[in-house]
């Protein structure tokens, strides 16, 4: 017995020694993995932040360039200070801009957005914070970033951006200047906070070492805006990067990958990664203190040590039958306390524990709430016992559909929760629809042979909530939205309430705008190669008393969703034909009217006859009307639409395919459709002189039109050079701002009467 006992404990100490060796190996590997993890994390953060910074600044540079060119085109360079409506409109569409302005080369601002007190804006060549970047902008063709500073006229911290506007001879005519918000809800970098207390994200200007932006806990712009690296510090950092990477600083700047570095300072050792943006001459840096990494490692080390002690204790108590029995009993009680008796799924307490564990470890996940539609009717009709059987069968089907990686819980009654690692919105939506389909079919195939639907609401952590209560609240809001339609899936969005209210408001106002003719018509002329007006396109415009100006794309989408599209389409067709009937027309001066038609209109019974009746009523010849239809219409219910198109074509009405080349066009489709005209989309025309691919596309469309005997209209023509190029390609019909903006019918009359005279 003594020998047996001694052998058992010899085996115990042997296993214990092996465990110590494994623990040492695991600790060493864990430290290496922790360091490598943080190196990769900082590389990813720096590269992702660099891409975002480049995208943001490129977009702002494009805004300055487009606005500046428009001001040059309009000649809006006032002598006295004043606000320009164009700048206000640009500011209203960009929440991240604090303000826009136009300054003379001498640094004096002459035009700005109306939110800036003109008298408080000093000369930019006389201010220390603005002088350097303004002078740099005068010398550069690129957008220049100024030092981060507090802009008193707006009471905001901004990063100034400047872009010189030059004449044909290269002389600087003016400087567009704007301020990018970096604080508050509209701050351009608000989605890039520090992930951990010791983390930092930084933007350094390469030319002078000034710190443009810093995301670090407890450090605001009033502190970091004063930080500047000296020339010695810049040279030291460059030598360190070269030494650690084995590459020259020029090669590092030319690369797209972030370079990892370690830095010793008075405040401690730091691990980080840096990547250079040559376009805007910025160093993008992500770093954290090694002290935080050590704390994280020691926390993990404590877990390993704790596990080792637990395993050791289990080995020790393994020899005791009493301990095994007691442990088994405790596990059974633990399971019962966290699982539902009826379904066997986790209960609310078990779900809370699972979610808190994921939140504590900052593991992204999605909370999916599933509610059986009209379950009360099951209990009322068949009784509660049968309802319990339905719940048990439903939970089985849901557990099977959710997959092994998901956590499924019963929240009581007919409500269930699924916690999944899916955090991509598109994949999460597919996953939720999969749950609906599989649970429904699973219940129907099961022993109850019952058809049941459900509604699903889902929210993602941390995007839709950073705590247990907030993520559950977001999921319930999405579920409430889904239950309005039943058997629906809804993912939480921050605008889920405001967007809904906005669309309801537009729908209500739109219903009241059609009867009193509050929607007005504008017309954009079409001209031939000689500049003679030969047609015009009807465009709807809506200026509401409460909503203000509502863009067509917004109220048209509401009309399609609310059943108002047919009424709106008839409204546009009636008013445009009535206006067109008043215009002077003769064989010597033919004129055509183009009107957009939706798929909902053309699917209406008797649509072709209704159009012909309108033509007779307004005394417009069928040959004078062109109906513009998008490519997507032909892809939907092709067989039902084709007879209607032939009926219209046989009556003499011309048919045009709008936005040709941007959808699903094919030569076989063109061969089967009665199309008279193709409209080249503006996106091709915009780049016809700069982009060879766009030029080739337009040439192909011209060839298709000519080979099929179709007319060709180029939309969005805005430059004389575009007209020349299109004429050289064989295009003879044009539409765009170069010839005319959309105007009222009275202005069309004046233009036509003048041409007749």
């Amino acid at each position: 017995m003594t020998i047996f006992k001694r052998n058992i404990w010899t085996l115990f100490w042997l296993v214990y020694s092996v465990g110590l060796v494994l623990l040492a190996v695991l600790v060493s590997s864990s430290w290496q993995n922790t360091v490598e993890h943080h190196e990769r994390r900082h590389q990813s953060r720096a590269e992702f932040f660099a891409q975002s910074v480049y995208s943001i600044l490129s977009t702002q540079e494009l805004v300055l360039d487009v606005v500046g060119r428009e001001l040059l085109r309009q000649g809006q360079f006032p002598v006295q200070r004043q606000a320009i409506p164009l700048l206000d409109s640009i500011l209203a569409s960009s929440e991240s801009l604090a303000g826009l302005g136009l300054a003379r080369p001498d640094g004096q601002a002459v035009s700005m957005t109306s939110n800036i007190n003109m008298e408080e804006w000093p000369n930019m060549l006389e201010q220390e914070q603005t002088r350097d970047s303004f002078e740099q902008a005068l010398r550069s063709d690129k957008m220049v970033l100024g030092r981060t500073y507090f802009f008193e006229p707006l009471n905001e911290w901004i990063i100034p951006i400047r872009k010189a506007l030059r004449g044909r001879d290269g002389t600087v005519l003016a400087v567009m200047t704007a301020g990018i918000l970096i604080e508050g809800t509209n701050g351009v970098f608000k989605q890039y906070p520090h992930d951990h207390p010791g983390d930092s994200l930084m933007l350094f200007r390469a030319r002078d070492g000034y710190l443009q932006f810093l995301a670090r806990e407890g450090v605001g712009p009033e502190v970091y805006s004063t930080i500047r690296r000296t020339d010695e510090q810049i040279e030291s950092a460059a030598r360190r990067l070269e030494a650690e990477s084995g590459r020259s600083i020029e090669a590092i700047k030319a690369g797209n990958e972030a370079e990892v570095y370690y830095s010793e300072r008075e405040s401690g050792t730091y691990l980080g990664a840096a990547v250079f943006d040559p376009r805007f001459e910025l160093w993008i840096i992500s770093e954290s203190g090694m002290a935080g990494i050590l704390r994280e490692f020691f926390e993990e080390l404590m877990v390993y040590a704790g596990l080792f002690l637990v395993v050791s204790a289990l080995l020790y108590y393994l020899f005791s039958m009493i301990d095994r029995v007691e442990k088994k009993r405790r596990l059974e009680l633990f399971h019962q306390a966290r699982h539902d008796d009826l379904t066997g799924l986790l209960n609310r307490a078990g779900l809370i524990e699972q979610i808190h564990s994921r939140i504590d470890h900052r593991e992204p996940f999605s909370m999916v709430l599933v509610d059986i539609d009209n379950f009360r009717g099951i209990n009322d009709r068949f009784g509660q016992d049968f309802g319990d059987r339905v719940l048990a069968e439903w939970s089985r089907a849901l557990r099977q559909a959710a997959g092994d990686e998901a956590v499924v819980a019963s929240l009581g009654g007919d409500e269930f929760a699924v916690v999944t690692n899916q955090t991509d919105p598109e994949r999460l939506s597919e996953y939720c629809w999969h749950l609906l389909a599989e649970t429904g079919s699973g219940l129907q195939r099961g022993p109850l042979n019952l058809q049941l639907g459900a509604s699903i609401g889902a929210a993602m952590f941390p995007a839709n909530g950073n705590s247990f209560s907030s993520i559950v609240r977001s999921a319930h809001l999405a579920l409430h939205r889904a239950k309005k339609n039943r058997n629906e899936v809804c993912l939480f969005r921050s605008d889920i309430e405001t967007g809904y209210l906005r669309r309801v408001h537009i729908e209500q106002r739109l219903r009241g705008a059609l009867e009193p003719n509050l929607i007005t018509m504008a017309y954009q002329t079409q001209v031939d190669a000689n500049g003679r007006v030969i047609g015009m396109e009807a465009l709807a415009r809506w200026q509401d008393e409460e909503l203000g100006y509502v863009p067509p794309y917004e109220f048209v989408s509401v009309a399609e969703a609310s059943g108002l599209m047919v009424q709106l389409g008839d409204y546009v067709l009636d008013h445009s034909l009535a206006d067109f009937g008043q215009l002077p027309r003769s064989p010597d001066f033919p004129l055509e009217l183009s009107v957009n038609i939706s798929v909902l209109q053309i699917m209406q019974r008797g649509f072709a006859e209704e159009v012909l009746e309108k033509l007779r009523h307004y005394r417009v010849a069928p040959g004078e009307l062109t109906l513009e239809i998008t490519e997507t219409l032909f892809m939907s219910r092709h067989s039902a639409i084709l007879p209607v198109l032939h009926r219209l074509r046989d009556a003499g009405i011309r048919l045009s395919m709008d936005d040709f080349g941007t959808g699903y066009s094919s030569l076989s489709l063109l061969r089967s459709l009665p199309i008279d005209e193709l409209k080249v989309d503006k996106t091709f025309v915009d780049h016809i002189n700069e982009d060879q691919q766009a030029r080739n596309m337009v040439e192909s469309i011209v060839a298709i039109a000519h080979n099929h005997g179709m007319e060709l209209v180029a939309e969005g023509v805005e430059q004389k050079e575009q007209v020349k190029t299109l004429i050289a390609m064989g295009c003879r019909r044009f539409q765009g701002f170069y010839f005319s903006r959309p105007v009222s019918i009275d202005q069309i009359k004046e233009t036509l009467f003048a041409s007749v005279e």
Side-chain angles (χ1 to χ4, degrees), residues 519-684:
I519 294 180
T520 59
M521 299 303 301
Y523 301 91
Q524 188 172 34
T525 57
Q526 297 177 353
V527 302
D528 60 14
N530 298 320
R532 185 170 62 90
V533 177
I534 57 176
M536 61 187 200
E537 181 179 359
L539 304 168
R541 296 292 184 266
W542 184 19
Q543 182 73 30
D544 186 72
E545 292 182 358
E546 295 183 10
L547 298 169
Y549 176 71
V550 184
Y553 72 85
E554 192 171 9
F555 69 79
V556 168
S557 65
V558 171
E560 289 177 340
S562 60
L564 291 173
M565 193 62 235
V566 174
Q567 186 178 353
L568 177 61
D570 291 342
Y571 178 97
V572 170
L573 186 60
D574 278 321
H575 283 70
S576 57
L577 287 175
D579 289 341
F580 186 78
Q582 305 172 18
L583 300 178
R585 309 184 309 279
S586 67
D588 296 330
F589 296 95
L591 191 66
E592 296 174 4
L593 171 67
S594 296
V595 181
N596 288 281
I597 299 298
S598 75
V599 64
L600 297 176
Q601 284 179 267
I602 206 168
M603 289 300 297
Q604 293 294 307
R605 183 184 298 274
F607 172 75
E609 288 69 23
E610 183 179 352
V611 173
L612 295 175
E613 178 59 31
K614 291 180 186 294
L615 290 174
R616 288 190 291 270
H617 177 74
Y618 294 110
R619 298 182 180 179
V620 176
E624 295 176 319
L625 176 63
T626 299
L627 297 181
E628 295 188 7
I629 312 172
T630 59
E631 298 178 37
T632 53
L633 182 145
F634 301 117
M635 307 306 296
S636 173
R637 303 183 182 180
H638 179 276
S639 59
I641 292 173
L642 196 58
V644 182
L645 298 182
H646 280 294
R647 175 72 178 93
L648 295 169
R649 176 84 175 284
D650 293 342
I653 297 173
R654 301 175 75 253
L655 299 176
S656 174
M657 184 181 287
D658 197 11
D659 301 333
F660 182 75
T662 62
Y664 306 92
S665 307
S666 66
L667 294 178
S668 61
L669 183 65
L670 285 179
R671 185 171 58 84
S672 64
L673 294 173
I675 299 299
D676 302 284
E677 176 183 276
L678 299 180
K679 298 194 77 173
V680 182
D681 189 71
K682 181 180 184 299
T683 55
F684 299 126

Side-chain angles (χ1 to χ4, degrees), residues 28 107 153 204 218 269-270 277 416 687 726:
S28 175
F204 274 99
T269 304
Y270 291 83
D277 184 336
F416 298 84
H687 306 288
L726 289 166

